[in-house]
């Protein structure tokens, strides 16, 4: 993956021998990547649209953090009279942090890439959902919720409208806000970026201190509660849809292209985390999503409408296979479905530990 300047562009001062060796290593890395890509199963390979958007999102998030740290560190140094050191932080290796982190293998972090791939797929599917409205002149679901008398619901709906608008604009412009990652991943990425900035400098105690202070400032300013996922969960909790209301809310969320709200309402109803509900919603085979919907006692028309909408929006889904399986899906007992998805409600750290343990067993 290339989402930034090449090593050749970032370090033009290499001598010829070093350049030749670097070119050889790049060629070997390219070949290894090409071979690995060739042998990937089709369902594991990213399509071109997802790959491109993922590169844009990753580059934008890293770039925003990099610029924030460089700018504030330079300002701190200039304030202490070290103007030239501040200028060096602004210029040295500017724009090459993504490439540096890629070469170091840090951006292969499984949790980071899982989050970003899920976000990209979520946004692409949400944008491709067919729009279904009961009445041509009827306002969208979120607009109606933003105007209800219940101030908690109205406030959360307005916040989700704003958060989704920011996300949509960021995706269109290839930019990123400062609150687009969960706190733990943001924390990890900030320090990686700070280290990559320092790596490109002739560091001093003063510049190290400035970079550290700038990184800590970025961490302090981060508010994961502004993320669309978190805002959608607040709205789902405020709505607290009753069993007899749940089908209508889920179907209308899908029909209104509000996939974040659909996922959040599903998560709240099942008592699981947003990321777990998003994961099962995005899976192209849909098996766990159908089980989750049956666990909530959703009927055939509800499951059919949700499955059809997702199949139209996601080219990875097999709509004919879904249609053939619909009778079998609806025949699953509610209690059996609840038992099958119970592991989704486990504590996140516990789930991660179980996943790591299972991975070691496969080696």
């Amino acid at each position: 993956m290339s989402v930034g300047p090449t090593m050749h562009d970032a370090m033009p001062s290499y001598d010829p021998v070093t350049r030749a060796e670097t070119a050889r290593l790049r060629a070997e890395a390219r070949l290894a990547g090409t071979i690995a890509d060739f042998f990937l199963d089709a369902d594991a390979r990213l399509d071109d649209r997802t790959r491109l958007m993922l590169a844009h999102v990753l580059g934008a998030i890293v770039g925003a953090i990099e610029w924030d740290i460089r700018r504030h560190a330079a300002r701190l140094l200039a304030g202490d009279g070290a103007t030239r050191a501040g200028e060096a932080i602004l210029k040295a290796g500017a724009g090459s942090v993504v490439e540096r982190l890629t070469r170091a293998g840090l951006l292969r972090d499984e949790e980071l890439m899982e989050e970003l791939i899920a976000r990209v797929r979520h946004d692409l599917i949400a944008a491709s959902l067919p729009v279904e409205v009961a009445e041509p002149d009827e306002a969208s679901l979120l607009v109606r919720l933003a105007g209800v008398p219940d101030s908690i619901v109205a406030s959360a709906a307005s916040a989700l409208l704003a958060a989704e608008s920011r996300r949509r604009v960021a995706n269109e412009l290839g930019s990123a806000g400062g609150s687009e990652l969960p706190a733990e991943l943001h924390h990890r990425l900030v320090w990686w970026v700070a280290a990559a900035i320092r790596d490109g400098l002739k560091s001093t105690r003063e510049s190290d201190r400035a970079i550290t202070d700038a990184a800590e400032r970025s961490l302090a300013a981060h508010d994961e509660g502004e993320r669309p996922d978190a805002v959608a969960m607040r709205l789902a909790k405020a709505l607290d849809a009753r069993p007899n209301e749940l089908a209508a809310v889920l179907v209308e969320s899908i029909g209104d292209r509000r996939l974040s709200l659909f996922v959040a309402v599903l998560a709240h109803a099942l008592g699981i985390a947003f990321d777990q509900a998003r994961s099962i919603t995005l899976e192209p085979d849909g098996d766990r999503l159908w089980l989750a919907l049956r666990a909530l006692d959703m009927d055939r028309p509800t499951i059919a409408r949700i499955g059809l909408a997702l199949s139209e929006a996601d080219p990875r889904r097999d709509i004919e296979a879904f249609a053939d399986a619909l009778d079998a899906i609806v025949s699953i007992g509610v209690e059996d479905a609840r038992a099958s998805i119970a592991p989704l409600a486990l504590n996140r750290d516990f789930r991660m530990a179980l996943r790591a343990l299972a991975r070691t067993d496969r080696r």
Side-chain angles (χ1 to χ4, degrees):
M1 178 185 70
S2 178
V3 289
T6 66
M7 202 183 319
H8 176 86
D9 296 331
M11 300 184 178
S13 61
Y14 272 16
D15 62 65
V17 174
T18 305
R19 283 178 182 271
E21 177 63 12
T22 300
R24 183 186 68 79
L25 293 173
R26 278 207 308 270
E28 287 184 357
R30 267 197 305 270
L31 177 59
T34 302
I35 293 171
D37 182 70
F38 177 78
F39 285 103
L40 276 177
D41 291 336
D43 61 354
R45 184 177 287 112
L46 292 175
D47 63 89
D48 290 341
R49 187 174 64 149
T50 304
R51 184 188 298 272
L52 179 61
M53 187 168 174
L54 179 61
H56 284 162
V57 168
L58 177 59
I61 290 174
V62 172
I65 294 172
E66 176 190 356
W67 175 239
D68 197 45
I69 292 175
R70 286 187 188 275
R71 182 175 54 187
H72 189 65
R75 178 170 169 267
L76 291 174
L77 288 168
D80 291 336
T83 304
R84 294 184 67 179
E87 290 175 351
I89 283 183
L90 281 175
K91 297 176 181 177
S96 65
V97 166
V98 171
E99 178 69 19
R100 182 68 185 92
L101 295 179
T102 301
R103 293 203 315 271
L106 293 174
L107 296 183
R108 291 177 179 270
D109 180 86
E110 184 174 331
E111 290 181 55
L112 173 64
M113 293 310 297
E114 181 180 31
E115 171 64 28
L116 292 179
I117 291 169
R119 169 188 158 173
V120 165
R121 283 183 167 151
H122 173 282
D123 290 353
L124 288 173
I125 291 171
S128 301
L129 284 168
V131 178
E132 297 180 15
V133 292
E135 300 292 339
D137 297 328
E138 187 177 46
S140 71
L141 174 63
L142 272 188
V143 172
R144 297 202 312 274
L145 290 175
V148 299
D150 187 325
S151 61
I152 297 176
V153 171
S155 176
S158 297
L160 184 56
L161 279 169
E164 291 197 338
S165 177
R166 288 194 301 270
R167 172 73 66 81
R168 187 166 54 251
V169 170
N171 287 340
E172 291 170 356
L173 299 180
S175 61
S179 59
E180 289 300 317
L181 287 173
E184 182 179 340
L185 293 178
H186 179 77
H187 183 277
R188 196 178 305 171
L189 194 55
V190 164
W191 288 117
W192 287 346
V193 170
I197 292 172
R198 183 189 186 275
D199 189 57
L201 292 169
K202 184 177 180 181
S203 63
T204 64
R205 185 190 308 174
E206 290 74 19
S207 64
D208 284 353
R209 182 73 259 170
I211 291 171
T212 299
D213 288 349
E216 289 175 344
R217 174 178 177 267
S218 177
L219 294 174
H222 182 71
D223 182 3
E224 68 173 349
E226 295 180 358
R227 301 169 62 235
D229 309 349
V231 179
M233 282 302 294
R234 289 205 299 273
L235 177 55
K237 290 174 182 176
L239 282 173
D240 195 23
R242 299 294 85 198
N244 63 320
E245 302 167 334
L246 199 52
V249 175
L250 288 172
V251 167
E252 193 166 1
S253 297
I254 284 280
D256 198 26
R257 285 184 168 178
R258 302 296 178 179
L259 192 57
S260 290
L261 181 57
F262 173 88
V263 172
V265 170
L266 183 67
H268 179 65
L270 293 170
I272 64 177
F274 183 95
D275 67 321
Q276 286 291 90
R278 179 180 61 185
S279 177
I280 65 174
T281 299
L282 299 180
E283 288 169 355
D285 53 40
D287 289 345
R288 292 198 295 173
L289 177 58
W290 316 142
L291 286 169
L293 293 174
R294 284 300 298 142
L296 297 173
D297 202 14
M298 295 296 103
D299 59 16
R300 181 192 181 98
T302 300
I303 295 174
R305 291 181 69 178
I306 291 170
L308 180 60
L310 290 172
S311 295
E312 289 189 36
D314 187 354
R316 299 175 303 156
R317 291 178 182 264
D318 186 337
I319 191 169
E320 293 181 0
F322 168 68
D324 291 342
L326 191 53
D327 285 337
I329 291 168
V330 177
S331 70
I332 299 171
V334 173
E335 291 305 319
D336 290 337
R338 287 174 180 167
S340 70
I341 64 165
L344 292 174
L346 292 173
N347 173 276
R348 182 181 180 278
D349 291 333
F350 190 22
R351 283 190 281 110
M352 296 300 292
L354 290 171
R355 183 195 295 186
L357 197 62
R359 190 181 298 120
T360 60
D361 287 343
R362 292 194 295 267
R363 289 175 181 169

